[in-house]
PDB file of all heavy atoms in Angstrom:
ATOM      1  N   ARG A  13    -105.081  57.266-125.259  1.00  0.00           N
ATOM      2  CA  ARG A  13    -105.429  56.432-124.102  1.00  0.00           C
ATOM      3  C   ARG A  13    -104.807  55.042-124.199  1.00  0.00           C
ATOM      4  O   ARG A  13    -104.366  54.477-123.211  1.00  0.00           O
ATOM      5  CB  ARG A  13    -106.955  56.261-124.023  1.00  0.00           C
ATOM      6  CG  ARG A  13    -107.640  57.298-123.168  1.00  0.00           C
ATOM      7  CD  ARG A  13    -109.022  56.827-122.756  1.00  0.00           C
ATOM      8  NE  ARG A  13    -109.875  56.522-123.898  1.00  0.00           N
ATOM      9  CZ  ARG A  13    -110.629  57.427-124.549  1.00  0.00           C
ATOM     10  NH1 ARG A  13    -110.640  58.687-124.161  1.00  0.00           N
ATOM     11  NH2 ARG A  13    -111.390  57.073-125.566  1.00  0.00           N
ATOM     12  N   ILE A  15    -102.201  53.970-126.114  1.00  0.00           N
ATOM     13  CA  ILE A  15    -100.791  53.768-126.429  1.00  0.00           C
ATOM     14  C   ILE A  15     -99.893  53.811-125.188  1.00  0.00           C
ATOM     15  O   ILE A  15    -100.199  54.488-124.214  1.00  0.00           O
ATOM     16  CB  ILE A  15    -100.318  54.808-127.464  1.00  0.00           C
ATOM     17  CG1 ILE A  15     -99.092  54.272-128.166  1.00  0.00           C
ATOM     18  CG2 ILE A  15    -100.044  56.152-126.839  1.00  0.00           C
ATOM     19  CD1 ILE A  15     -99.017  54.659-129.574  1.00  0.00           C
ATOM     20  N   ARG A  20     -86.398  54.756-122.356  1.00  0.00           N
ATOM     21  CA  ARG A  20     -85.412  53.958-121.617  1.00  0.00           C
ATOM     22  C   ARG A  20     -84.296  54.816-121.065  1.00  0.00           C
ATOM     23  O   ARG A  20     -83.821  54.610-119.974  1.00  0.00           O
ATOM     24  CB  ARG A  20     -84.818  52.894-122.550  1.00  0.00           C
ATOM     25  CG  ARG A  20     -85.728  51.695-122.625  1.00  0.00           C
ATOM     26  CD  ARG A  20     -85.053  50.545-123.345  1.00  0.00           C
ATOM     27  NE  ARG A  20     -85.993  49.988-124.295  1.00  0.00           N
ATOM     28  CZ  ARG A  20     -85.814  49.943-125.595  1.00  0.00           C
ATOM     29  NH1 ARG A  20     -84.704  50.403-126.124  1.00  0.00           N
ATOM     30  NH2 ARG A  20     -86.723  49.440-126.383  1.00  0.00           N
ATOM     31  N   GLY A  39     -92.396  58.399-136.843  1.00  0.00           N
ATOM     32  CA  GLY A  39     -91.069  58.615-136.280  1.00  0.00           C
ATOM     33  C   GLY A  39     -91.128  58.849-134.785  1.00  0.00           C
ATOM     34  O   GLY A  39     -92.196  59.078-134.213  1.00  0.00           O
ATOM     35  N   GLU A  79     -98.337  80.953-140.082  1.00  0.00           N
ATOM     36  CA  GLU A  79     -98.115  80.066-141.229  1.00  0.00           C
ATOM     37  C   GLU A  79     -96.865  80.466-141.991  1.00  0.00           C
ATOM     38  O   GLU A  79     -96.679  81.636-142.322  1.00  0.00           O
ATOM     39  CB  GLU A  79     -99.337  80.100-142.153  1.00  0.00           C
ATOM     40  CG  GLU A  79    -100.489  79.354-141.529  1.00  0.00           C
ATOM     41  CD  GLU A  79    -101.205  78.433-142.516  1.00  0.00           C
ATOM     42  OE1 GLU A  79    -100.641  78.124-143.588  1.00  0.00           O
ATOM     43  OE2 GLU A  79    -102.339  78.051-142.200  1.00  0.00           O
ATOM     44  N   GLY A  82     -91.886  76.926-144.292  1.00  0.00           N
ATOM     45  CA  GLY A  82     -90.792  76.135-143.713  1.00  0.00           C
ATOM     46  C   GLY A  82     -91.193  75.352-142.474  1.00  0.00           C
ATOM     47  O   GLY A  82     -90.344  74.701-141.857  1.00  0.00           O
ATOM     48  N   SER A  84     -94.528  73.089-140.138  1.00  0.00           N
ATOM     49  CA  SER A  84     -95.828  72.440-140.119  1.00  0.00           C
ATOM     50  C   SER A  84     -96.826  73.407-139.468  1.00  0.00           C
ATOM     51  O   SER A  84     -96.489  74.561-139.196  1.00  0.00           O
ATOM     52  CB  SER A  84     -95.699  71.136-139.316  1.00  0.00           C
ATOM     53  OG  SER A  84     -96.946  70.531-139.153  1.00  0.00           O
ATOM     54  N   VAL A  85     -98.028  72.945-139.212  1.00  0.00           N
ATOM     55  CA  VAL A  85     -99.049  73.779-138.576  1.00  0.00           C
ATOM     56  C   VAL A  85     -99.611  72.984-137.401  1.00  0.00           C
ATOM     57  O   VAL A  85     -99.762  71.772-137.497  1.00  0.00           O
ATOM     58  CB  VAL A  85    -100.198  74.075-139.578  1.00  0.00           C
ATOM     59  CG1 VAL A  85    -101.284  74.920-138.940  1.00  0.00           C
ATOM     60  CG2 VAL A  85     -99.659  74.743-140.834  1.00  0.00           C
ATOM     61  N   TYR A 105     -81.935  62.855-142.175  1.00  0.00           N
ATOM     62  CA  TYR A 105     -81.281  61.679-141.593  1.00  0.00           C
ATOM     63  C   TYR A 105     -81.528  60.451-142.472  1.00  0.00           C
ATOM     64  O   TYR A 105     -80.602  59.716-142.819  1.00  0.00           O
ATOM     65  CB  TYR A 105     -81.889  61.484-140.205  1.00  0.00           C
ATOM     66  CG  TYR A 105     -81.246  60.440-139.325  1.00  0.00           C
ATOM     67  CD1 TYR A 105     -80.087  60.728-138.608  1.00  0.00           C
ATOM     68  CD2 TYR A 105     -81.823  59.182-139.165  1.00  0.00           C
ATOM     69  CE1 TYR A 105     -79.511  59.790-137.774  1.00  0.00           C
ATOM     70  CE2 TYR A 105     -81.256  58.240-138.326  1.00  0.00           C
ATOM     71  CZ  TYR A 105     -80.111  58.541-137.629  1.00  0.00           C
ATOM     72  OH  TYR A 105     -79.546  57.606-136.790  1.00  0.00           O
ATOM     73  N   GLU A 116     -78.845  71.601-152.356  1.00  0.00           N
ATOM     74  CA  GLU A 116     -78.436  72.767-151.573  1.00  0.00           C
ATOM     75  C   GLU A 116     -79.627  73.670-151.252  1.00  0.00           C
ATOM     76  O   GLU A 116     -79.661  74.322-150.203  1.00  0.00           O
ATOM     77  CB  GLU A 116     -77.399  73.535-152.392  1.00  0.00           C
ATOM     78  CG  GLU A 116     -76.532  74.425-151.544  1.00  0.00           C
ATOM     79  CD  GLU A 116     -75.472  75.130-152.387  1.00  0.00           C
ATOM     80  OE1 GLU A 116     -74.713  74.438-153.098  1.00  0.00           O
ATOM     81  OE2 GLU A 116     -75.427  76.365-152.333  1.00  0.00           O
ATOM     82  N   ASP A 123     -82.345  77.655-143.704  1.00  0.00           N
ATOM     83  CA  ASP A 123     -81.742  78.932-143.267  1.00  0.00           C
ATOM     84  C   ASP A 123     -82.817  80.018-143.211  1.00  0.00           C
ATOM     85  O   ASP A 123     -82.897  80.771-142.251  1.00  0.00           O
ATOM     86  CB  ASP A 123     -80.675  79.391-144.273  1.00  0.00           C
ATOM     87  CG  ASP A 123     -79.387  78.586-144.149  1.00  0.00           C
ATOM     88  OD1 ASP A 123     -79.194  77.924-143.112  1.00  0.00           O
ATOM     89  OD2 ASP A 123     -78.584  78.608-145.107  1.00  0.00           O
ATOM     90  N   LEU A 134     -88.096  84.031-131.672  1.00  0.00           N
ATOM     91  CA  LEU A 134     -87.867  82.663-131.197  1.00  0.00           C
ATOM     92  C   LEU A 134     -86.372  82.322-131.272  1.00  0.00           C
ATOM     93  O   LEU A 134     -85.592  83.053-131.870  1.00  0.00           O
ATOM     94  CB  LEU A 134     -88.680  81.682-132.037  1.00  0.00           C
ATOM     95  CG  LEU A 134     -90.197  81.842-131.884  1.00  0.00           C
ATOM     96  CD1 LEU A 134     -90.936  81.154-133.022  1.00  0.00           C
ATOM     97  CD2 LEU A 134     -90.653  81.276-130.541  1.00  0.00           C
ATOM     98  N   VAL A 139     -82.164  71.878-134.186  1.00  0.00           N
ATOM     99  CA  VAL A 139     -82.468  71.664-135.606  1.00  0.00           C
ATOM    100  C   VAL A 139     -81.419  70.715-136.179  1.00  0.00           C
ATOM    101  O   VAL A 139     -80.286  71.090-136.423  1.00  0.00           O
ATOM    102  CB  VAL A 139     -82.464  73.004-136.378  1.00  0.00           C
ATOM    103  CG1 VAL A 139     -82.817  72.791-137.842  1.00  0.00           C
ATOM    104  CG2 VAL A 139     -83.457  73.963-135.743  1.00  0.00           C
ATOM    105  N   ASN A 143     -85.088  66.308-137.511  1.00  0.00           N
ATOM    106  CA  ASN A 143     -86.133  67.322-137.338  1.00  0.00           C
ATOM    107  C   ASN A 143     -86.360  68.151-138.599  1.00  0.00           C
ATOM    108  O   ASN A 143     -87.152  69.084-138.600  1.00  0.00           O
ATOM    109  CB  ASN A 143     -85.781  68.257-136.169  1.00  0.00           C
ATOM    110  CG  ASN A 143     -85.951  67.562-134.832  1.00  0.00           C
ATOM    111  OD1 ASN A 143     -86.622  66.550-134.754  1.00  0.00           O
ATOM    112  ND2 ASN A 143     -85.336  68.098-133.793  1.00  0.00           N
ATOM    113  N   MET A 145     -87.247  67.857-142.774  1.00  0.00           N
ATOM    114  CA  MET A 145     -87.687  66.944-143.825  1.00  0.00           C
ATOM    115  C   MET A 145     -87.640  67.621-145.184  1.00  0.00           C
ATOM    116  O   MET A 145     -87.679  68.847-145.276  1.00  0.00           O
ATOM    117  CB  MET A 145     -89.126  66.483-143.553  1.00  0.00           C
ATOM    118  CG  MET A 145     -89.242  65.573-142.344  1.00  0.00           C
ATOM    119  SD  MET A 145     -90.942  65.059-142.010  1.00  0.00           S
ATOM    120  CE  MET A 145     -91.151  63.771-143.221  1.00  0.00           C
ATOM    121  N   LYS A 162     -83.995  79.727-124.341  1.00  0.00           N
ATOM    122  CA  LYS A 162     -83.145  80.860-124.690  1.00  0.00           C
ATOM    123  C   LYS A 162     -81.671  80.503-124.602  1.00  0.00           C
ATOM    124  O   LYS A 162     -80.907  81.154-123.915  1.00  0.00           O
ATOM    125  CB  LYS A 162     -83.459  82.037-123.780  1.00  0.00           C
ATOM    126  CG  LYS A 162     -84.811  82.619-124.065  1.00  0.00           C
ATOM    127  CD  LYS A 162     -85.051  83.899-123.313  1.00  0.00           C
ATOM    128  CE  LYS A 162     -86.427  84.404-123.660  1.00  0.00           C
ATOM    129  NZ  LYS A 162     -87.017  85.239-122.669  1.00  0.00           N
ATOM    130  N   VAL A 163     -81.302  79.418-125.230  1.00  0.00           N
ATOM    131  CA  VAL A 163     -79.881  79.064-125.257  1.00  0.00           C
ATOM    132  C   VAL A 163     -79.469  78.932-126.723  1.00  0.00           C
ATOM    133  O   VAL A 163     -80.220  78.420-127.533  1.00  0.00           O
ATOM    134  CB  VAL A 163     -79.595  77.732-124.535  1.00  0.00           C
ATOM    135  CG1 VAL A 163     -79.593  77.914-123.049  1.00  0.00           C
ATOM    136  CG2 VAL A 163     -80.599  76.659-124.951  1.00  0.00           C
ATOM    137  N   PHE A 176     -71.614  71.404-146.428  1.00  0.00           N
ATOM    138  CA  PHE A 176     -70.779  72.002-147.472  1.00  0.00           C
ATOM    139  C   PHE A 176     -69.370  71.405-147.521  1.00  0.00           C
ATOM    140  O   PHE A 176     -68.773  71.319-148.577  1.00  0.00           O
ATOM    141  CB  PHE A 176     -70.736  73.528-147.302  1.00  0.00           C
ATOM    142  CG  PHE A 176     -72.043  74.159-147.691  1.00  0.00           C
ATOM    143  CD1 PHE A 176     -72.935  74.640-146.723  1.00  0.00           C
ATOM    144  CD2 PHE A 176     -72.416  74.234-149.027  1.00  0.00           C
ATOM    145  CE1 PHE A 176     -74.156  75.193-147.097  1.00  0.00           C
ATOM    146  CE2 PHE A 176     -73.633  74.791-149.407  1.00  0.00           C
ATOM    147  CZ  PHE A 176     -74.507  75.264-148.435  1.00  0.00           C
ATOM    148  N   LYS A 180     -71.619  67.701-149.617  1.00  0.00           N
ATOM    149  CA  LYS A 180     -71.695  68.195-150.999  1.00  0.00           C
ATOM    150  C   LYS A 180     -70.560  67.642-151.868  1.00  0.00           C
ATOM    151  O   LYS A 180     -70.823  67.099-152.937  1.00  0.00           O
ATOM    152  CB  LYS A 180     -71.694  69.728-150.984  1.00  0.00           C
ATOM    153  CG  LYS A 180     -72.174  70.382-152.250  1.00  0.00           C
ATOM    154  CD  LYS A 180     -73.692  70.401-152.365  1.00  0.00           C
ATOM    155  CE  LYS A 180     -74.167  70.594-153.802  1.00  0.00           C
ATOM    156  NZ  LYS A 180     -73.961  71.959-154.331  1.00  0.00           N
ATOM    157  N   TYR A 184     -72.863  63.818-152.112  1.00  0.00           N
ATOM    158  CA  TYR A 184     -73.799  64.297-153.124  1.00  0.00           C
ATOM    159  C   TYR A 184     -73.384  63.753-154.489  1.00  0.00           C
ATOM    160  O   TYR A 184     -74.221  63.385-155.306  1.00  0.00           O
ATOM    161  CB  TYR A 184     -73.828  65.832-153.144  1.00  0.00           C
ATOM    162  CG  TYR A 184     -74.950  66.383-153.977  1.00  0.00           C
ATOM    163  CD1 TYR A 184     -76.241  66.435-153.469  1.00  0.00           C
ATOM    164  CD2 TYR A 184     -74.727  66.833-155.271  1.00  0.00           C
ATOM    165  CE1 TYR A 184     -77.284  66.920-154.228  1.00  0.00           C
ATOM    166  CE2 TYR A 184     -75.765  67.326-156.035  1.00  0.00           C
ATOM    167  CZ  TYR A 184     -77.045  67.371-155.514  1.00  0.00           C
ATOM    168  OH  TYR A 184     -78.081  67.847-156.266  1.00  0.00           O
ATOM    169  N   ARG A 185     -72.088  63.668-154.693  1.00  0.00           N
ATOM    170  CA  ARG A 185     -71.594  63.185-155.985  1.00  0.00           C
ATOM    171  C   ARG A 185     -71.622  61.669-156.060  1.00  0.00           C
ATOM    172  O   ARG A 185     -71.855  61.092-157.111  1.00  0.00           O
ATOM    173  CB  ARG A 185     -70.189  63.711-156.221  1.00  0.00           C
ATOM    174  CG  ARG A 185     -70.189  65.223-156.363  1.00  0.00           C
ATOM    175  CD  ARG A 185     -68.812  65.786-156.406  1.00  0.00           C
ATOM    176  NE  ARG A 185     -68.110  65.445-157.630  1.00  0.00           N
ATOM    177  CZ  ARG A 185     -66.799  65.591-157.773  1.00  0.00           C
ATOM    178  NH1 ARG A 185     -66.081  66.041-156.765  1.00  0.00           N
ATOM    179  NH2 ARG A 185     -66.217  65.288-158.905  1.00  0.00           N
ATOM    180  N   ARG A 189     -75.393  54.441-149.357  1.00  0.00           N
ATOM    181  CA  ARG A 189     -76.237  54.277-148.189  1.00  0.00           C
ATOM    182  C   ARG A 189     -75.361  54.163-146.956  1.00  0.00           C
ATOM    183  O   ARG A 189     -74.342  53.484-146.991  1.00  0.00           O
ATOM    184  CB  ARG A 189     -77.043  52.978-148.319  1.00  0.00           C
ATOM    185  CG  ARG A 189     -78.087  53.050-149.369  1.00  0.00           C
ATOM    186  CD  ARG A 189     -78.399  51.652-149.841  1.00  0.00           C
ATOM    187  NE  ARG A 189     -79.444  51.737-150.847  1.00  0.00           N
ATOM    188  CZ  ARG A 189     -80.729  51.565-150.575  1.00  0.00           C
ATOM    189  NH1 ARG A 189     -81.126  51.257-149.360  1.00  0.00           N
ATOM    190  NH2 ARG A 189     -81.616  51.672-151.526  1.00  0.00           N
ATOM    191  N   PHE A 193     -76.362  52.157-137.815  1.00  0.00           N
ATOM    192  CA  PHE A 193     -75.452  52.122-136.661  1.00  0.00           C
ATOM    193  C   PHE A 193     -74.327  53.144-136.825  1.00  0.00           C
ATOM    194  O   PHE A 193     -73.859  53.732-135.862  1.00  0.00           O
ATOM    195  CB  PHE A 193     -74.924  50.690-136.401  1.00  0.00           C
ATOM    196  CG  PHE A 193     -73.752  50.281-137.254  1.00  0.00           C
ATOM    197  CD1 PHE A 193     -72.448  50.511-136.821  1.00  0.00           C
ATOM    198  CD2 PHE A 193     -73.955  49.657-138.473  1.00  0.00           C
ATOM    199  CE1 PHE A 193     -71.380  50.132-137.612  1.00  0.00           C
ATOM    200  CE2 PHE A 193     -72.896  49.279-139.261  1.00  0.00           C
ATOM    201  CZ  PHE A 193     -71.598  49.521-138.826  1.00  0.00           C
ATOM    202  N   GLY A 201     -71.195  60.457-131.104  1.00  0.00           N
ATOM    203  CA  GLY A 201     -69.885  61.107-131.186  1.00  0.00           C
ATOM    204  C   GLY A 201     -70.031  62.618-131.157  1.00  0.00           C
ATOM    205  O   GLY A 201     -69.279  63.309-130.471  1.00  0.00           O
ATOM    206  N   TYR A 205     -68.398  65.338-128.659  1.00  0.00           N
ATOM    207  CA  TYR A 205     -67.570  66.401-129.230  1.00  0.00           C
ATOM    208  C   TYR A 205     -68.016  67.760-128.701  1.00  0.00           C
ATOM    209  O   TYR A 205     -67.208  68.580-128.273  1.00  0.00           O
ATOM    210  CB  TYR A 205     -67.674  66.327-130.758  1.00  0.00           C
ATOM    211  CG  TYR A 205     -67.266  67.561-131.501  1.00  0.00           C
ATOM    212  CD1 TYR A 205     -65.917  67.870-131.695  1.00  0.00           C
ATOM    213  CD2 TYR A 205     -68.227  68.424-132.031  1.00  0.00           C
ATOM    214  CE1 TYR A 205     -65.557  69.006-132.389  1.00  0.00           C
ATOM    215  CE2 TYR A 205     -67.869  69.554-132.726  1.00  0.00           C
ATOM    216  CZ  TYR A 205     -66.535  69.857-132.898  1.00  0.00           C
ATOM    217  OH  TYR A 205     -66.192  70.985-133.578  1.00  0.00           O
ATOM    218  N   LEU A 210     -67.336  72.350-124.995  1.00  0.00           N
ATOM    219  CA  LEU A 210     -67.905  73.183-123.957  1.00  0.00           C
ATOM    220  C   LEU A 210     -67.008  73.201-122.729  1.00  0.00           C
ATOM    221  O   LEU A 210     -66.745  74.240-122.144  1.00  0.00           O
ATOM    222  CB  LEU A 210     -69.292  72.655-123.593  1.00  0.00           C
ATOM    223  CG  LEU A 210     -70.272  73.665-123.053  1.00  0.00           C
ATOM    224  CD1 LEU A 210     -70.726  74.566-124.192  1.00  0.00           C
ATOM    225  CD2 LEU A 210     -71.490  72.952-122.477  1.00  0.00           C
TER     226      LEU A 210
END
Side-chain angles (χ1 to χ4, degrees):
R13 268 199 302 274
I15 202 145
R20 277 190 226 119
E79 287 225 17
S84 174
V85 179
Y105 188 81
E116 202 178 305
D123 285 343
L134 295 163
V139 182
N143 287 342
M145 291 179 79
K162 290 188 180 155
V163 282
F176 288 105
K180 198 79 200 288
Y184 191 79
R185 295 172 69 195
R189 290 156 179 264
F193 83 90
Y205 161 78
L210 207 72

